[in-house]
Amino acid sequence: PQFSTAMPLTLSAFALLLLGALVSRLVGSRTPLVSGMIMLANGFAASIMAFAVSQLLSNELVHSPGLEAASPVGPTVPSQPSVQRLCADSAGSLDSPRHGALKP
């Protein structure tokens, strides 16, 4: 993976291991390494489940005939004139008096 992906993954794994070790120290149940590995496995499973649910939901929204994707909220951008129309006007092919070609 790229650095921008590998770094957050490494930091998250380290944080989960550290939290597991801290919990084991506070509670006094298992060795810190075992608790850290259990916390890391739990975080891994949670991220896989969240990704799977998001993929299922996004595929359902895309492929459902009755449901459409939500339109963006806020002011809409007015449509721009087509390039073909602008070219036709500047070339004078629409008999524009300002841009028209000289008639013989």
Side-chain angles (χ1 to χ4, degrees), residues 34-96:
V34 170
S35 288
M37 294 301 282
I38 289 173
M39 183 82 76
L40 183 62
N42 189 17
F44 176 74
S47 65
I48 293 297
M49 295 294 268
F51 179 75
V53 168
S54 70
Q55 290 299 308
L56 287 172
L57 289 177
S58 67
N59 286 339
E60 286 295 321
L61 288 177
V62 169
H63 297 299
S64 293
L67 297 174
E68 295 181 12
S71 62
V73 178
T76 58
V77 178
S79 62
Q80 298 293 326
S82 68
V83 174
Q84 185 180 16
R85 173 69 189 233
L86 288 175
C87 292
D89 283 344
S90 65
S93 63
L94 295 177
D95 294 330
S96 173

